[in-house]
Amino acid sequence: MKKLLTICLLAFAITVCAEDRVPKNIILFIGDGMGLSQVTAGKVAKGKLEMERCPVTGLVTTWSDDSLVTDSAAAATALSTGVKTRNGSLGLAPDGKPLKNVIEYAEEKGKSTGVAVVCSLTHATPAGFIVHVLSRKLDSEIAGQIAASDVDVLFGGGLNYFNMTNNPRLPELQKKMTVALTAGEFRQLGTPEKAAALLYPVHPPYAAERAVSLRELTEKAIQILSQDKDGFFLMVEGSQIDWAGHKNDATNLIAEVVDFDHAVGSGLDFAEKNGETLVIITADHETGGFALLGGSVEHKTVDKTGFVHGNHTASMVPLFAYGPGSTVFSGIRDNTDIGKTMIRFIQTSE
Ligand code: MG
Ligand code: ZN
């Protein structure tokens, strides 16, 4: 009996310590515009969400340096650098000074890095993890900085911005990595050390129409990045939850949350097997002031919804975490705490 108790206590201690360890790999999932109602609607429609596999939950405040209501550029900067900046600004402090981001810290540690999104790679959320630009509107400048970066996996849309006649960046990318321009080419990628997929001229369509799903992008990104014995950082974005929110389109909003959740599942599958991977799932802000007003849990339907308006709100967003390092995300955190903590983990990882 005493022996059994000791074994139980030991197992408990190992489990607790496991959650306090510094992770070797970090996968950050961002549902753009995914507030608590968006997650709830996804759950009603899907039944059980992959996100629910996470034992740690928290809430995140999202305001920016100059506004209670953040935009995706300032929010991405807070998550990637741990510093709040002005709305519209990417990877620069309010005074215009460049801020080192989690990808740059990971590269310094010899880790592989990547982004996988369902929007143009030049759009605010992915760009906020790579570039240092005063305005999110400068797509050509952003494409230039992305092409010049050392990021190992670049999956998304935005081919046009890398293919501008006066400023072509595609040859630069092709010189240093395998580049897929179609779904067929994407599926032939194999596992090179570095790869890009520019699958759409600008943005992909909504989930049902996408030739390559976010889950496929996530799986391939993990396959490629996990070859690095030093570990990796990957950011995956469910980019269009936000866009459906701006349009007050509940049907596509819910479909995008469910699609994002499928991708989350592949990240958690890897983390469960790998044991050295921290998975964080959160949002950059809420969009629309979305509310669920009627439907059926039994029939998995959401019939009646409301939106306050067609823009972002300042509501706290949910956070889910799994794996080594996850417990520190419990409670109410600011978006900058997520960036600071990821950077601390990367700096202290072996
Ligand atoms: Mg976004
Ligand atoms: Zn938005």
Side-chain angles (χ1 to χ4, degrees):
M1 187 63 197
K2 212 170 165 188
K3 204 170 171 186
L4 187 70
L5 193 71
T6 314
I7 291 168
C8 286
L9 279 172
L10 203 66
F12 178 72
I14 289 167
T15 316
V16 169
C17 291
E19 301 314 302
D20 286 341
R21 271 186 300 138
V22 171
K24 181 174 160 191
N25 312 309
I26 300 176
I27 308 176
L28 173 65
F29 285 92
I30 300 175
D32 196 316
M34 188 184 72
L36 202 48
S37 295
Q38 284 82 348
V39 174
T40 314
K43 176 168 174 58
V44 172
K46 198 174 174 227
K48 179 124 182 152
L49 291 174
E50 303 283 355
M51 296 176 209
E52 295 177 58
R53 291 160 64 183
C54 294
V56 176
T57 54
L59 292 167
V60 182
T61 51
T62 67
W63 41 79
S64 68
D65 177 66
D66 64 343
S67 173
L68 177 65
V69 180
T70 190
D71 84 319
S72 290
T77 302
L79 290 166
S80 72
T81 71
V83 179
K84 287 195 191 292
T85 192
R86 293 173 203 274
N87 281 2
S89 191
L90 293 166
L92 297 177
D95 63 5
K97 289 208 181 84
L99 299 162
K100 197 158 148 186
N101 62 48
V102 63
I103 283 188
E104 290 163 330
Y105 280 105
E107 283 162 355
E108 218 172 62
K109 271 277 180 178
K111 293 180 189 290
S112 290
T113 59
V115 297
V117 300
V118 280
C119 61
S120 168
L121 282 163
T122 59
H123 209 250
T125 312
F129 280 77
I130 305 172
V131 308
H132 306 278
V133 176
L134 209 52
S135 166
R136 59 183 287 174
K137 292 178 185 151
L138 303 169
D139 287 277
S140 175
E141 167 66 20
I142 292 167
Q145 289 196 22
I146 292 173
S149 78
D150 291 321
V151 182
D152 302 289
V153 166
L154 294 163
F155 290 168
L159 175 62
N160 286 359
Y161 301 117
F162 291 86
N163 223 358
M164 297 172 91
T165 41
N166 58 345
N167 191 15
R169 299 294 186 164
L170 191 55
E172 197 177 331
L173 272 184
Q174 283 163 326
K175 221 181 283 169
K176 62 178 180 187
M177 62 214 302
T178 315
V179 182
L181 299 178
T182 64
E185 285 174 14
F186 176 79
R187 295 194 175 106
Q188 299 293 312
L189 268 180
T191 48
E193 269 182 37
K194 293 164 90 72
L198 291 162
L199 299 173
Y200 307 89
V202 183
H203 301 305
Y206 277 131
E209 311 284 316
R210 293 201 276 265
V212 180
S213 70
L214 185 60
R215 185 182 173 101
E216 276 181 273
L217 296 180
T218 306
E219 279 171 356
K220 179 55 75 181
I222 292 172
Q223 255 178 38
I224 292 173
L225 296 173
S226 62
Q227 300 174 114
D228 192 327
K229 59 171 181 28
D230 300 314
F232 68 87
F233 171 84
L234 170 65
M235 191 282 285
V236 178
E237 187 201 19
S239 320
Q240 302 198 22
I241 302 166
D242 174 64
W243 303 355
H246 280 289
K247 290 182 185 145
N248 293 1
D249 173 353
T251 306
N252 277 309
L253 186 158
I254 293 168
E256 288 296 324
V257 171
V258 170
D259 184 73
F260 174 65
D261 190 61
H262 284 308
V264 166
S266 68
L268 289 170
D269 288 346
F270 172 80
E272 274 179 9
K273 277 193 229 105
N274 174 265
E276 295 181 294
T277 303
L278 166 66
V279 177
I280 306 163
I281 304 134
T282 191
D284 53 353
H285 53 74
E286 196 276 342
T287 304
F290 182 53
L292 274 78
L293 304 170
S296 158
V297 174
E298 191 195 344
H299 298 110
K300 298 185 173 172
T301 51
V302 177
D303 304 326
K304 195 159 175 264
T305 57
F307 290 88
V308 170
H309 66 179
N311 219 321
H312 303 172
T313 73
S315 293
M316 286 195 275
V317 292
L319 177 146
F320 308 86
Y322 174 94
S326 58
T327 48
V328 296
F329 295 97
S330 167
I332 295 182
R333 296 278 171 269
D334 186 60
N335 56 4
T336 52
D337 295 331
I338 317 297
K340 281 182 204 150
T341 306
M342 293 192 303
I343 289 168
R344 177 166 58 83
F345 282 156
I346 283 167
Q347 285 183 305
T348 53
S349 84
E350 314 254 302

